[in-house]
């Protein structure tokens, strides 16, 4: 199992997985923008023996580490790989002060996962999704790193 940077060659499978996993899937051009144009973006895949098991897009914007997209392949869900991948992903936060994300209110597996990592709901965005569903804005504040002596 390894984590590596996403490339354009991955976008065929990733956009296919998006269709399977999300009600409002990102289009290929959105991933292309993240890969090629968005200087705040970190695009990663979780891979095992050449097979894409998961993927994530995060925006590192100064003090904020924003998880914009995060998913595990349907065939591999429920095996703690989401837990593993999120743990690894948070290592990329560097000096960010907090991590932030939006999640559908109905998405109990994801909410459970984020809660396990210390994310707390700080706000609700009503009618955020196309079907009118509410988004929960969840935040995890990082502990200050101890400096020097
Ligand atoms: C959310 C997602 C990434 C979780 O990945 P995963 O590999 O299945 O996660 P894990 O196996 O590590 O399980 C995470 C936790 O969720 C729990 N869980 C699984 N299904 C659940 C459910 N229906 N209700 C509540 N908790 C659930 C697991 O028990 C586990 O908690 P535990 O460690 O306390 O037992 C995956 O379901 C996914 O890709 N979903 C579709 C895309 C998505 O919704 N992404 C998030 C967008 S914000």
């Amino acid at each position: 199992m390894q984590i590596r940077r996403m490339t354009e060659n991955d976008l065929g499978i990733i956009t296919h997985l998006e269709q399977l996993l999300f009600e409002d899937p990102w289009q290929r051009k959105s991933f292309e923008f993240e890969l090629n144009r968005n200087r705040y973006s970190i695009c990663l895949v979780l891979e095992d023996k050449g097979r894409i098991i998961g993927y994530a897009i995060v925006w590192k914007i100064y003090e904020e580490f924003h998880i914009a997209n995060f998913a595990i392949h349907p065939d591999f869900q429920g095996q703690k790989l989401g837990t593993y991948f999120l743990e690894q992903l948070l290592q990329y936060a560097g000096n960010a002060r907090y991590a932030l994300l939006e999640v559908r209110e109905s998405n109990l597996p994801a909410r459970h996962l984020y809660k396990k990592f210390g994310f707390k709901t700080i706000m609700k965005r009503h009618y955020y999704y196309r079907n009118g569903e509410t988004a929960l804005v969840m935040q995890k504040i990082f502990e200050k790193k101890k400096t020097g002596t």
Side-chain angles (χ1 to χ4, degrees):
M1 197 75 63
Q2 62 153 338
I3 291 167
R4 62 162 174 80
R5 297 278 169 163
M6 189 184 291
T7 71
E8 294 231 15
N9 292 335
D10 300 318
L11 294 187
I13 175 78
I14 286 175
T15 48
H16 173 68
L17 291 173
E18 271 288 302
Q19 305 282 337
L20 298 177
L21 290 165
F22 291 101
E23 224 173 294
D24 297 323
W26 284 25
Q27 303 300 309
R28 186 183 174 101
K29 63 179 183 316
S30 302
F31 286 98
E32 285 171 352
F33 174 80
E34 298 301 333
L35 280 175
N36 302 320
R37 311 268 297 277
N38 186 355
R39 68 190 173 100
Y40 296 109
S41 199
I42 304 171
C43 309
L44 299 170
V45 297
L46 175 68
E47 185 181 65
D48 187 38
K49 301 184 190 96
R51 190 163 181 198
I52 291 178
I53 308 292
Y55 56 92
I57 308 278
V58 294
W59 300 321
K60 211 170 151 188
I61 313 170
Y62 307 108
E63 61 179 8
E64 180 169 320
F65 186 72
H66 192 116
I67 301 176
N69 198 333
F70 181 78
I72 294 291
H73 191 303
D75 292 351
F76 296 92
Q77 289 179 10
Q79 300 175 37
K80 304 282 184 225
L81 292 168
T83 302
Y84 171 76
F85 193 24
L86 185 56
E87 197 177 340
Q88 298 301 310
L89 191 64
L90 291 171
Q91 306 295 318
Y92 288 77
N95 290 325
R97 198 172 61 77
Y98 61 88
L100 200 81
L101 56 86
E102 280 120 14
V103 60
R104 279 180 192 265
E105 202 163 28
S106 64
N107 192 347
L108 298 182
R111 285 175 59 184
H112 182 92
L113 174 65
Y114 299 137
K115 197 166 164 217
K116 203 167 74 166
F117 278 83
F119 283 83
K120 293 193 166 61
T121 301
I122 55 162
M123 192 170 41
K124 288 186 178 190
R125 294 195 209 277
H126 298 288
Y127 308 105
Y128 185 74
Y129 296 101
R130 265 210 307 201
N131 69 349
E133 196 176 343
T134 295
L136 305 184
V137 180
M138 297 186 80
Q139 183 188 46
K140 174 185 167 72
I141 297 178
F142 297 120
E143 279 173 28
K144 275 210 178 94
K145 293 194 180 79
K146 292 198 178 73
T147 51
T149 50

